[in-house]
């Protein structure tokens, strides 16, 4: 059998992956025989799929599987279902009498996958090896002439009762699998010799963030940081950069190893139309929500900066931010205080965007606002034309300026140079904010898809603009 490279790292293996964490003790791999059978029956694999196959079927010196659990976070439209199907079809043909169970969380997905597997079973190279494809309500399977079979089941309906000795357990839609569901599945492999579990999915939505799939990733990241291998497990992750622009095709290439050769742009654009931006970033770009990091500005530091009587006396600047979904937006101001510290305050946070231009015009009419700041990469950038047409002096920040604004807000707060009035919405935004890396710098990021950090981003932009101004302090009128 062909041997894997000795270093248990990404070097030389799966260079397309963002993260690859392997188990200890890899001495060889059964992949060459699996790949050979797959090709013989017409199920050829691309180079990256061959590498995943090498990881999946890696073996120790005593002949056992190096990992009993292979977890793969791979975006949609990459061909991961085809890859796993090719592997398990080949495994069944190479090992007579084995049982493979393929489960999905929802019955609808299970039926769609079964239809796909039946089509694979009907291919010219595969069909001579297939005995039957029973499709009853209680039992759906691909049965092979040699006695092996792939049984299909949905986890939501209490799947796999009475199916013993499952050699390979495929857990599709792993991102929405609970710990309880995982516990129900694993006993089906108790009597199998050298059982293997394959988990595949996309980054989970917030409500499933603590599930079994996320736990696999957390263990992989911990092992990676410690420079250690995983214990009897392997983790494979394909994704775009965490701070990727949603429609950057270069980032899509990073996330999807099958683009554009096998995944056409049209298929990706369809997902973009049908999914929300948050779902698209998870499903198509493979980007995980970051919940592991603490508050960027400690709660105690923010509380110490509270001054209910705080008031700005000059250099008044307005900041505007709009949520990615455009369902929420915020306007905030920053100014210098009489004592030289900086003052930030949320003016208004409201639903939608239709009110923003009129509010900004009214604020500028009632107060000596020197400028209005909008980030060029935010959804608020679409308002720049209307703001300028209405007479608002609106400036936009580029990426370098936005990262400088975030660092400036952090420094001013942690160095006792900023005051706020204790507004709950601004504090809530700070609690929900995390960092997203942009090279060696960072900008604000949402902790979850539902987090609203527009008050914080608007205040950050306003402070950045206020610090640019050099004029004599003068008292300003109270906000509307």
């Amino acid at each position: 059998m062909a041997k894997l490279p000795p270093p248990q790292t990404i070097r030389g293996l799966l260079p397309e992956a963002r993260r690859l964490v392997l188990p200890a003790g890899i001495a060889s791999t059964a992949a060459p025989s699996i790949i050979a059978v797959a090709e013989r029956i017409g199920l050829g694999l691309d180079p990256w799929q061959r590498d995943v196959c090498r990881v999946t079927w890696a073996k120790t010196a005593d002949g056992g599987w190096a990992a009993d659990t292979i977890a793969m976070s791979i975006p949609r439209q990459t061909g991961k279902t085809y890859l796993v199907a090719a592997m398990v079809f080949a495994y069944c043909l190479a090992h007579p009498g084995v049982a493979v169970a393929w489960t999905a969380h929802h019955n609808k997905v299970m039926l769609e996958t079964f239809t796909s597997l039946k089509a694979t079973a009907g291919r010219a190279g595969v069909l001579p090896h297939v005995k039957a494809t029973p499709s009853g309500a209680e039992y759906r399977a691909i049965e092979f002439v040699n006695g092996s079979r792939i049984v299909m089941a949905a986890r939501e309906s209490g799947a796999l009762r009475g199916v013993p000795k499952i050699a390979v357990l495929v857990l599709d839609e792993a991102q929405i699998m609970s710990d309880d569901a995982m516990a129900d599945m694993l006993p089906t492999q108790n009597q199998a010799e050298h059982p293997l579990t394959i988990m595949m999915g996309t980054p989970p939505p917030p409500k499933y963030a603590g599930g079994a799939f996320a736990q696999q990733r957390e263990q992989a990241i911990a092992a990676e940081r410690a420079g250690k291998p995983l214990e009897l497990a392997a983790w494979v992750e394909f994704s775009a950069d965490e701070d990727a622009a949603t429609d950057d095709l270069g980032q899509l290439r990073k996330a999807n190893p099958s683009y554009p050769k096998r995944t056409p742009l049209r298929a990706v654009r369809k997902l973009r139309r049908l999914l929300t931006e948050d779902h698209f970033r998870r499903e198509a770009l493979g980007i995980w929500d970051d919940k592991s990091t603490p508050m960027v500005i400690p709660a105690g530091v923010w509380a110490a900066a509270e001054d209910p009587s705080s008031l700005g006396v000059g250099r008044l600047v307005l900041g505007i931010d709009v949520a990615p979904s455009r369902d929420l937006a915020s306007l905030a101001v920053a100014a210098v205080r009489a004592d030289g510290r900086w003052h930030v305050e949320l003016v208004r946070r409201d639903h939608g965007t239709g009110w923003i231009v009129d509010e900004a015009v009214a604020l500028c009419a009632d107060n000596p606002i020197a400028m209005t700041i909008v980030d060029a990469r935010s959804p608020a950038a679409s308002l720049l034309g209307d703001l300028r047409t209405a007479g608002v002096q609106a400036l936009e920040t580029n990426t370098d300026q936005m990262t400088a604004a975030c660092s400036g807000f952090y420094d001013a707060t942690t160095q006792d140079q900023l005051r706020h009035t204790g507004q709950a919405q601004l504090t809530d935004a700070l609690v929900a904010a995390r960092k997203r890396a942009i090279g060696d710098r960072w900008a604000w990021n949402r902790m979850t898809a539902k987090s609203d950090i527009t008050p914080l981003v608007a205040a950050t932009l306003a402070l950045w603009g206020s610090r640019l101004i050099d004029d004599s302090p003068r008292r300003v009128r109270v906000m509307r």
Side-chain angles (χ1 to χ4, degrees), residues 275-321:
L275 300 177
T276 65
E277 182 168 15
D278 289 326
H279 280 86
F280 181 83
R281 289 176 71 82
R282 283 191 291 268
E283 296 286 324
L285 297 182
I287 299 173
W288 283 69
D289 294 335
D290 183 6
K291 302 178 185 63
S292 60
T293 55
M295 286 177 59
V296 178
I297 297 174
V301 173
W302 183 249
E306 182 177 336
D307 177 2
S309 63
S310 181
L311 183 67
V313 297
R315 305 186 188 183
L316 187 65
V317 170
L318 177 67
I320 299 175
D321 191 51

Side-chain angles (χ1 to χ4, degrees), residues 385-397:
D386 291 340
L387 288 167
R388 290 165 179 161
T389 299
V392 176
Q393 184 183 354
L395 304 179
E396 54 189 307
T397 56

Side-chain angles (χ1 to χ4, degrees), residues 6-13 20 22:
Q8 307 303 304
T9 69
I10 197 170
R11 186 173 298 170
L13 187 66
L20 173 63
L22 300 176

Side-chain angles (χ1 to χ4, degrees), residues 311-317 334-343 368 370 466 469-477:
L311 183 67
V313 297
R315 305 186 188 183
L316 187 65
V317 170
V336 68
R337 294 169 25 128
D339 63 2
R341 289 188 174 92
W342 300 100
H343 167 86
S466 186
I469 301 171
D470 183 14
D471 64 359
S472 300
R474 58 183 183 275
R475 195 170 187 81
V476 300
R477 288 189 289 275

Side-chain angles (χ1 to χ4, degrees), residues 118-341:
K118 283 180 64 178
T120 301
R123 290 191 178 199
V126 182
L127 187 59
H129 304 281
V130 176
K131 176 182 177 181
T133 56
S135 307
E138 299 298 324
Y139 180 71
R140 296 179 177 88
I142 308 294
E143 297 179 343
F144 298 94
V145 174
N146 68 357
S148 293
R149 57 178 175 158
I150 302 172
V151 180
M152 305 296 297
R155 295 190 292 270
E156 66 180 355
S157 58
L160 301 183
R161 294 189 183 95
V163 182
K165 297 184 179 181
I166 293 175
V168 180
L169 175 62
V170 179
L171 301 174
D172 203 352
E173 294 186 296
Q175 72 273 16
I176 55 175
M177 184 173 61
S178 66
D179 291 333
D180 290 342
M182 185 74 167
D184 289 340
M185 293 289 103
L186 294 182
T188 62
Q189 296 186 288
N190 286 346
Q191 299 178 22
E193 185 177 3
H194 302 306
L196 180 69
T197 298
I198 300 174
M199 304 174 71
M200 59 176 175
T202 55
K207 66 178 180 178
Y208 294 105
F213 194 52
Q215 290 174 23
Q216 291 288 325
R217 183 176 188 259
E218 289 169 6
Q219 292 169 9
I221 291 175
E224 184 180 56
R225 288 174 176 170
K228 297 180 179 179
L230 276 168
E231 182 178 357
L232 297 175
W235 175 265
V236 179
E237 180 178 332
F238 287 86
S239 72
D241 296 337
E242 293 179 355
D243 63 334
T246 304
D247 297 309
D248 185 341
L249 294 182
Q251 290 290 335
L252 178 62
R253 288 187 180 91
K254 282 188 177 184
N256 189 332
S258 295
Y259 174 84
K261 180 180 178 181
R262 300 194 184 280
T263 304
L265 182 58
R266 181 171 181 174
V268 177
R269 285 175 171 166
K270 180 179 180 180
L271 286 180
R272 187 70 173 95
R273 292 195 308 271
L274 297 178
L275 300 177
T276 65
E277 182 168 15
D278 289 326
H279 280 86
F280 181 83
R281 289 176 71 82
R282 283 191 291 268
E283 296 286 324
L285 297 182
I287 299 173
W288 283 69
D289 294 335
D290 183 6
K291 302 178 185 63
S292 60
T293 55
M295 286 177 59
V296 178
I297 297 174
V301 173
W302 183 249
E306 182 177 336
D307 177 2
S309 63
S310 181
L311 183 67
V313 297
R315 305 186 188 183
L316 187 65
V317 170
L318 177 67
I320 299 175
D321 191 51
V322 174
S325 59
R326 305 187 73 83
D327 61 338
L328 287 168
S330 293
L331 273 63
V333 293
V336 68
R337 294 169 25 128
D339 63 2
R341 289 188 174 92

